[in-house]
Amino acid sequence: MKLKLFAKPIAVLGITLISTILFVRLLQPNQPFSKADSMARSFVLWLHGLGDSGPANEPIKALFSSPEFRNTVWSFPSAPSNPVTCNYGAVMPSWFDIHEIPVTADSPKDESSVLEAVQNVHAMIDKEIAAGTDPNNVFVCGFSQGGALTLASVLLYPKTLGGGAVFSGWLPFNTSIIERISSNAKRTPILWSHGIADRTVLFEAGQAGPPFLERAGLSCEFKAYPGLGHSISHEELQYLEPWIKTRMQSSS
């Protein structure tokens, strides 16, 4: 059914992640003390997809077992309930409005609701920085609609962040947004992962991202996953862990 187009892959992801986590945790030895204990506080903000919830995605953090993540604060907020145009106005957890599914490179954008959602994300980041986290240790990640919001949030944040990771997302704004991207934001690295077999957010929508970011003056690492549909794979998360780890700042 159309109402489940975005939520269904996440439901499968949750079940898959739980079994994968149990297997991985059994294989991992206890981590001894290391220089990773001197890592400064870091913050990972995870934004879920349409129709999903923050708590349903919390098992993801158990996969990040490297010592460098011992001082990491994780946040999995839930989107407010809003009517969604592509689902005939049905009310569901949604960061902003989406006009059509599948999402293509040319799908219409609802920039006003995107910008409103960005303000909420910025408030979460501001709160964490006020608590003492260095902006360079703040990482925003998101899947699908959450991936699109991740992109908008890091591009429009006034400070350089540790990084933004977009999974099966798209550009939720037009090229005019480039004028609003600060020089600090242009130094935030972007990781973009997309399944070639995605039929909900088409691969072409993901492919449109890197050229746009290059024109805006940002660096973007784009990774395509053959055979992957509209979901997050264990392979993608395995790659994300060292990607974040190498960008973390120490407390020294």
Side-chain angles (χ1 to χ4, degrees):
M1 294 177 62
K2 195 152 191 171
L3 291 177
K4 297 182 179 180
L5 281 173
F6 278 70
K8 185 175 179 181
I10 288 290
V12 174
L13 170 66
I15 296 171
T16 303
L17 279 175
I18 291 172
S19 60
T20 302
I21 290 166
L22 289 174
F23 177 73
V24 172
R25 299 291 283 182
L26 285 171
L27 291 181
Q28 290 175 340
N30 292 329
Q31 297 285 356
F33 178 84
S34 70
K35 64 179 182 180
D37 291 291
S38 67
M39 296 299 294
R41 172 184 172 122
S42 59
F43 179 61
V44 177
L45 176 62
W46 189 278
L47 304 174
H48 64 75
L50 178 67
D52 200 17
S53 72
N57 287 262
E58 288 187 10
I60 289 173
K61 67 182 179 182
L63 293 174
F64 293 72
S65 56
S66 296
E68 287 81 0
F69 289 92
R70 286 177 179 169
N71 295 327
T72 298
V73 175
W74 292 79
S75 180
F76 295 87
S78 294
S81 294
N82 288 305
V84 180
T85 300
C86 68
N87 283 331
Y88 308 104
V91 176
M92 61 181 62
S94 177
W95 300 109
F96 56 85
D97 197 16
I98 300 174
H99 288 263
E100 66 179 20
I101 293 178
V103 177
T104 71
D106 299 317
S107 289
K109 281 87 171 173
D110 194 318
E111 290 191 0
S112 61
S113 63
V114 171
L115 293 176
E116 182 177 348
V118 165
Q119 291 180 350
N120 293 331
V121 174
H122 284 182
M124 300 177 202
I125 297 174
D126 289 342
K127 182 179 180 180
E128 184 59 30
I129 292 176
T133 302
D134 188 317
N136 290 297
N137 274 342
V138 172
F139 300 88
V140 186
C141 311
F143 170 73
S144 191
Q145 186 190 46
L149 179 56
T150 290
L151 184 66
S153 298
V154 298
L155 293 186
L156 295 177
Y157 197 70
K159 299 178 181 179
T160 303
L161 301 178
V166 179
F167 296 91
S168 304
W170 68 92
L171 297 168
F173 38 63
N174 298 308
T175 55
S176 59
I177 204 75
I178 291 178
E179 300 174 0
R180 300 183 57 178
I181 304 175
S182 69
S183 57
N184 288 330
K186 290 180 180 180
R187 291 196 291 269
T188 300
I190 305 293
L191 171 65
W192 195 311
S193 304
H194 212 110
I196 295 177
D198 196 330
R199 295 293 178 265
T200 302
V201 179
L202 300 188
F203 185 63
E204 68 173 54
Q207 282 184 306
F212 172 89
L213 293 174
E214 289 178 7
R215 289 196 301 272
L218 286 93
S219 63
C220 176
E221 179 182 357
F222 185 83
K223 293 183 69 63
Y225 290 83
L228 180 64
H230 195 64
S231 63
I232 301 178
S233 69
H234 186 222
E235 183 181 359
E236 287 177 297
L237 293 175
Q238 280 186 313
Y239 189 84
L240 177 64
E241 182 185 22
W243 190 86
I244 291 178
K245 186 169 62 176
T246 57
R247 288 163 175 79
M248 286 179 169
Q249 305 295 312
S250 68
S251 57
S252 58

